Amino acid sequence: MTAEILNGREIAKDYRADLERQVNELKEKGVTPNLTVVIVGNDGASLSYVRSKNKAAENIGMESSIVRLDENATEEEVLNTVESLNQDKKVHGILVQVPLPKQVDENKVLDAITPEKDVDGFNPINIGKLYTGQETFVPCTPLGIMELLKHTGSLEGKEVAVIGRSHIVGQPVAKLLTDQNATVTLMHSRTKDMVSKIKDFDVVVSAVGKPGLLKGADLKDGAIVIDVGNTVVDGKLVGDVDYESALEKASYITPVPGGVGPLTITMVLNNTLLAAKRQNNL
Amino acid sequence: MTAEILNGREIAKDYRADLERQVNELKEKGVTPNLTVVIVGNDGASLSYVRSKNKAAENIGMESSIVRLDENATEEEVLNTVESLNQDKKVHGILVQVPLPKQVDENKVLDAITPEKDVDGFNPINIGKLYTGQETFVPCTPLGIMELLKHTGSLEGKEVAVIGRSHIVGQPVAKLLTDQNATVTLMHSRTKDMVSKIKDFDVVVSAVGKPGLLKGADLKDGAIVIDVGNTVVDGKLVGDVDYESALEKASYITPVPGGVGPLTITMVLNNTLLAAKRQNNL
């Protein structure tokens, strides 16, 4: 079997075309969705990631701006910036790029973003609403993974291994998969004989950041593989799964790059549109 | 093998003795922990459960009161009651007994309890803090289950099946088990061949409410069984697991009644003490 490639760029393109249509509808009603990203310091990779979100927003007709603070900014300065964006009626979605410099308490800053504009879905109240089934913003990578999985058929009754227990990816995607009636096993660095267990699972979502963690031979025949890993090796972005060998064993597989990544940014836009609609009761 | 019985009443008794000691210390500092329970309507089972929490609090030297509202109380009346308890400096922990009558939106009421007094841990912000590793109140049944499991040794590397995906028991206990480095599979009504899979697991936590769901023959030899089920059958409280046959196969097992139940109430007291300490910076 040669796997069908889940082309994240193509899937994202279609999704963004639909978002663009909705943005235009909103603009006709006088509301232009605005995503504002706060970045502290000069880290090149962070800056380029922030600019790509920025550009993606503008490409579908949203407004987007970047607020840059000096790398020596105090916690109070960062909190004041967030607070002024909370108050600004023209801003619908706020992102704070992490990691933050060590003089700034990351949890404190993320908690300060008003839940209504927290398009990353990292504010505890939004996480709590996710777990209690209330209206919320779902974190973007998990949401993007679910969008990719829609292209592979129903998840009902499927056995899914999620590898990695972060509250950014592993835990929320486990929750979303459970909501779709999949049976999820949440694996992590302390799971015994992890690799040899993978053969039992219909779907594998790997969010570890360890190139070569899984090979084709480790997979169940016809498994669906979602590779969230992205590690730079010799200047190239690689996932957790050995792509070439997995391609021969899986039924569907995401490439790295071009798999989950484009969907994550797409879901930032999705959540910003949602925020603009909710804030204007549209 | 005959299982060791995890005697919830005994374990709870020891735990409450320690809480009582801490309550006395707090009283010497001028703070008497107060648990207030709101109940709407006249359901006999609910009333008797509320009274048992009440009595348990008083037994360890806490203050406790019950606020009773008529079964026809409006949502506004219930919300006003919660708000006045939020404001009352003598009250440290607030419980609202569920289910509420249908004219009252349950989520709205639970969300209205200030997170600082939410000793059930059902407020979204407290649930979100649980998932992001921040200071919170952990829901009482999951916390009680973890206390029982402390008596069975380390959970590191263990494979655990949690059956039932509610946000009251299944999901948060899965999170707490994962934090202890166990590998958790969250099963539910749509899990394929569930019963036959149970044989692969070192620990089984069943929170379904379906008597006879599991029998001894379904368990791995030496499994640890935590039975959260409590269903009234012919006037008797029974769990999800067939106790007699499981006793011969498990290494540890909780009886029903007298297993998880006493620990749940104990953890209400635990959280009320914690609330009183936090509100007084003690």
Side-chain angles (χ1 to χ4, degrees), chain B residues 148-169:
Chain B
L148 286 165
L149 285 171
K150 278 190 193 158
H151 293 257
T152 70
S154 166
L155 290 159
E156 171 102 25
K158 292 236 167 77
E159 309 212 24
V160 184
V162 172
I163 315 176
R165 55 183 154 173
S166 81
H167 73 272
I168 308 294
V169 183

Side-chain angles (χ1 to χ4, degrees), chain A residues 7 93 122 146 158 264:
Chain A
N7 187 328
F122 293 163
M146 298 308 288
K158 290 238 166 75
T264 296

Side-chain angles (χ1 to χ4, degrees), chain A residues 107 111 122-125 127-129 131-132 134 156-159 165 167 171 175 178-188 190-192 197, chain B residues 107 111 122-125 127-129 131-132 134 156-159 165 167 171 175 178-188 190-192 197:
Chain A
N107 271 333
D111 292 6
F122 293 163
N123 185 304
I125 200 164
I127 295 174
K129 285 183 170 177
Y131 283 94
T132 53
Q134 299 181 65
E156 171 103 25
K158 290 238 166 75
E159 309 210 25
R165 55 183 154 173
H167 73 270
Q171 306 240 26
K175 160 70 179 157
T178 301
D179 286 348
Q180 293 299 314
N181 292 330
T183 299
V184 179
T185 301
L186 186 56
M187 299 183 172
H188 46 76
R190 314 299 270 273
T191 295
K192 253 199 282 180
K197 281 173 184 149
Chain B
N107 270 333
D111 291 6
F122 293 164
N123 186 303
I125 199 163
I127 295 174
K129 284 182 171 180
Y131 282 94
T132 52
Q134 297 182 67
E156 171 102 25
K158 292 236 167 77
E159 309 212 24
R165 55 183 154 173
H167 73 272
Q171 305 241 27
K175 161 68 179 158
T178 300
D179 287 347
Q180 293 299 313
N181 292 330
T183 298
V184 179
T185 301
L186 187 56
M187 299 182 171
H188 46 77
R190 313 297 271 274
T191 295
K192 254 199 285 181
K197 281 174 184 148

Side-chain angles (χ1 to χ4, degrees), chain A:
Chain A
M1 169 177 273
T2 300
E4 192 168 320
I5 294 164
L6 289 166
N7 187 328
R9 291 199 186 100
E10 283 300 317
I11 294 170
K13 201 176 140 192
D14 291 346
Y15 199 99
R16 290 185 202 189
D18 184 56
L19 290 178
E20 187 172 7
R21 195 186 47 73
Q22 293 182 65
V23 168
N24 284 331
E25 277 178 24
L26 220 54
K27 282 166 137 178
E28 282 167 20
K29 292 176 182 154
V31 177
T32 303
N34 175 303
L35 171 69
T36 296
V37 189
V38 178
I39 181 165
V40 185
N42 301 303
D43 179 64
S46 291
L47 255 173
S48 107
Y49 190 50
V50 163
R51 288 204 180 104
S52 69
K53 290 181 194 171
N54 207 234
K55 194 150 188 280
E58 287 172 356
N59 280 344
I60 61 163
M62 291 183 173
E63 273 178 15
S64 179
S65 46
I66 301 177
V67 177
R68 289 187 64 175
L69 296 179
D70 189 85
E71 64 181 322
N72 299 312
T74 63
E75 187 174 282
E76 203 193 341
E77 286 170 319
V78 181
L79 288 171
N80 286 342
T81 300
V82 168
E83 189 48 34
S84 79
L85 295 172
N86 283 345
Q87 299 299 333
D88 186 342
K89 291 220 158 128
K90 289 194 303 296
V91 173
H92 304 105
I94 304 170
L95 292 183
V96 176
Q97 181 68 26
V98 290
L100 290 167
K102 46 180 175 313
Q103 74 274 15
V104 182
D105 182 336
E106 206 162 287
N107 271 333
K108 218 164 166 179
V109 170
L110 296 179
D111 292 6
I113 300 172
T114 183
E116 289 73 28
K117 299 187 179 184
D118 168 39
V119 290
D120 254 341
F122 293 163
N123 185 304
I125 200 164
N126 280 331
I127 295 174
K129 285 183 170 177
L130 171 66
Y131 283 94
T132 53
Q134 299 181 65
E135 183 178 282
T136 185
F137 296 105
V138 180
C140 300
T141 299
L143 202 54
I145 293 168
M146 298 308 288
E147 186 58 32
L148 286 165
L149 285 170
K150 276 188 194 159
H151 294 258
T152 70
S154 167
L155 290 159
E156 171 103 25
K158 290 238 166 75
E159 309 210 25
V160 184
V162 173
I163 314 177
R165 55 183 154 173
S166 80
H167 73 270
I168 308 292
V169 182
Q171 306 240 26
V173 83
K175 160 70 179 157
L176 297 175
L177 289 159
T178 301
D179 286 348
Q180 293 299 314
N181 292 330
T183 299
V184 179
T185 301
L186 186 56
M187 299 183 172
H188 46 76
S189 57
R190 314 299 270 273
T191 295
K192 253 199 282 180
D193 309 320
M194 192 195 73
V195 172
S196 69
K197 281 173 184 149
I198 291 299
K199 250 199 170 77
D200 295 333
F201 291 89
D202 305 312
V203 181
V204 179
V205 178
S206 186
V208 178
K210 206 170 172 182
L213 177 70
L214 298 176
K215 292 177 183 52
D218 304 320
L219 301 171
K220 183 175 181 170
D221 240 331
I224 297 167
V225 178
I226 306 290
D227 193 345
V228 194
N230 63 82
T231 311
V232 179
V233 177
D234 298 333
K236 268 181 58 185
L237 210 56
V238 293
D240 293 341
V241 182
D242 177 63
Y243 187 70
E244 297 306 326
S245 63
L247 204 55
E248 299 308 308
K249 200 78 181 289
S251 60
Y252 291 92
I253 187 167
T254 57
V256 177
V260 176
L263 267 300
T264 296
I265 296 187
T266 302
M267 293 306 154
V268 174
L269 307 179
N270 178 78
N271 286 353
T272 302
L273 176 69
L274 211 56
K277 285 185 178 176
R278 289 180 187 163
Q279 284 158 44
N280 292 282
N281 299 312
L282 289 170

